[in-house]
Amino acid sequence: MTNQYTGLYNSELPPEGQRQALRDGAVPVTVYGLGKMGLPLAAVYAKTTGNVVGVDIDADVVRMVNDGECHVAKEPGLPELVAEQAGRGALRATTDSVAAAKEGAIHVIIVPTPLTDDHEPDLAAFVAVLDSIAAGLAPGDMVVVECTVPPKTSSELVVPHLEAKSGISRTEFGVAFCPERTSSGRALQDITGSHPKIVGGVDTESTRVASLVYGEITSNEVIAVSDATTAESVKLFEGLYRDVNIALANELARIRDDLGIDVTEAIHAANTQPYCDIHAPGPGVGGHCIPWYPYFITSRVTTDTPLILTAREVNDSMPAFTADTLRTELSHAGRDIETATVAVLGVTYRPGVAETRATPAAGVIDRLTEHGATVLAVDPMLDDDVVASFGATPVSLADLSAHDLDAAVVVTPHEEFDDIDWAAFDDLVVIDGRGTLGDIGHRVYTIGAGPRNTEVRHHD
């Protein structure tokens, strides 16, 4: 298929005609990146427009999509939507990004932007996508950035890069930033209406086109902000708010023993006041969003940002605090961590998601190992080799009770852990990182809430 339409940017069609062309598939869409957020977005675009090509560097992902299969786990409704759209020819996939770019009139970029070891955003994959788009760019095309990038990326990188590489004047194509606001496990509902969609273009026409397009994608409000840099900042500010808020909760959790109260109880009570919304403490903050977004800001500004950096330090310190708390609780029970066998429950950064980037479990395992403990780890979402890569001995949930454990640390409360037979263990010391355990008949210290005085059970 070739680009059958000149595009929506500077279109001579009236707005309703543009919407109809979009819905009829006369405006081909190319989505670059078919990961856990890219595939749901491509599928929704396919359902809306009937004409989407997805691009991914992983040939297995491409094959699965073309076969109507879904490689993203635990995403309700997505397997069915992918099968439906691929089956009717509305969603296709390829590894040939240049060929896909030549087909597209709307180019949607949703590839990962990781951090380097020195906390610089790594835009290599992003720039590679821009190179492909430039090779196929045509007058009237619209480029939409959904993946999170540093402020001013759209105006200072995307536009001049595409103009220089394509030879097309910046007045002939549009660029807008429209942040992905999606959580794993609810991607389809988030894309199509859970939250207002933020759009901001590098010029007025880009903002108009982005607003029109996402008005067809979402049932919620489309909020057009002043420019692309504002839209980029909105996404980052959301993450910064959560990081700073969680840091406050974690710092309160760290002073729990000094105060001698259940800090989580106090937080819940404080949050009944409408101007207070303190988040929950825990063993750390993981994923490719919250731990990284602060550096997308700090790497691009010259003004000091002590609050942002301090919040990062607090949250980065929580895995060690969690392991150190276990050492203290074992000592209270008359045992040494140096001779203890400890099970870490959950290695992914959040329940039900097979993602380990910046997972707090890594720091917990490292600290426990430093203390001399023998560390086992259980995660039903991950293969053994992935678990082993964090320095722990992988153990299946079914085989956990066969091990003579002294302690356990709940880092990520997968729902599968609800089936653990805690009575099968003798006198465990347990650190509950997320406050998800009830009375399990063992000594439990909950981050933020403190020790729970339960009757310790022994089995024969």
Side-chain angles (χ1 to χ4, degrees), residues 267-280:
I267 288 174
H268 292 153
N271 285 348
T272 61
Q273 209 272 5
Y275 301 108
C276 188
D277 184 23
I278 305 173
H279 290 359

Side-chain angles (χ1 to χ4, degrees), residues 179-228:
E180 167 263 308
R181 310 180 86 189
T182 310
S183 296
S184 294
R186 47 176 297 144
L188 294 182
Q189 66 187 93
D190 285 350
I191 292 169
T192 58
S194 295
H195 317 291
K197 186 65 179 180
I198 309 299
V199 301
V202 297
D203 52 38
T204 302
E205 178 65 0
S206 295
T207 302
R208 183 198 68 80
V209 174
S211 298
L212 183 146
V213 170
Y214 280 98
E216 298 302 306
I217 296 295
T218 181
S219 61
N220 208 315
E221 179 183 8
V222 176
I223 299 176
V225 296
S226 298
D227 51 37

Side-chain angles (χ1 to χ4, degrees), residues 103-238:
E103 290 191 30
I106 296 176
H107 307 268
V108 184
I109 309 174
I110 185 163
V111 295
T113 308
L115 285 180
T116 64
D117 291 339
D118 57 354
H119 292 151
E120 281 288 327
D122 183 355
L123 294 170
F126 185 83
V127 171
V129 171
L130 293 182
D131 288 340
S132 296
I133 293 174
L137 196 68
D141 281 6
M142 183 72 197
V143 178
V144 177
V145 180
E146 279 241 5
C147 53
T148 309
V149 292
K152 300 185 178 181
T153 296
S154 296
S155 60
E156 296 185 358
L157 172 60
V158 178
V159 171
H161 193 92
L162 291 177
E163 185 177 38
K165 293 282 187 175
S166 70
I168 297 174
S169 169
R170 62 191 305 163
T171 62
E172 296 183 276
F173 64 90
V175 173
F177 185 81
C178 306
E180 167 263 308
R181 310 180 86 189
T182 310
S183 296
S184 294
R186 47 176 297 144
L188 294 182
Q189 66 187 93
D190 285 350
I191 292 169
T192 58
S194 295
H195 317 291
K197 186 65 179 180
I198 309 299
V199 301
V202 297
D203 52 38
T204 302
E205 178 65 0
S206 295
T207 302
R208 183 198 68 80
V209 174
S211 298
L212 183 146
V213 170
Y214 280 98
E216 298 302 306
I217 296 295
T218 181
S219 61
N220 208 315
E221 179 183 8
V222 176
I223 299 176
V225 296
S226 298
D227 51 37
T229 302
T230 302
E232 291 162 346
S233 299
V234 167
K235 173 64 175 179
L236 295 171
F237 288 1
E238 292 171 3

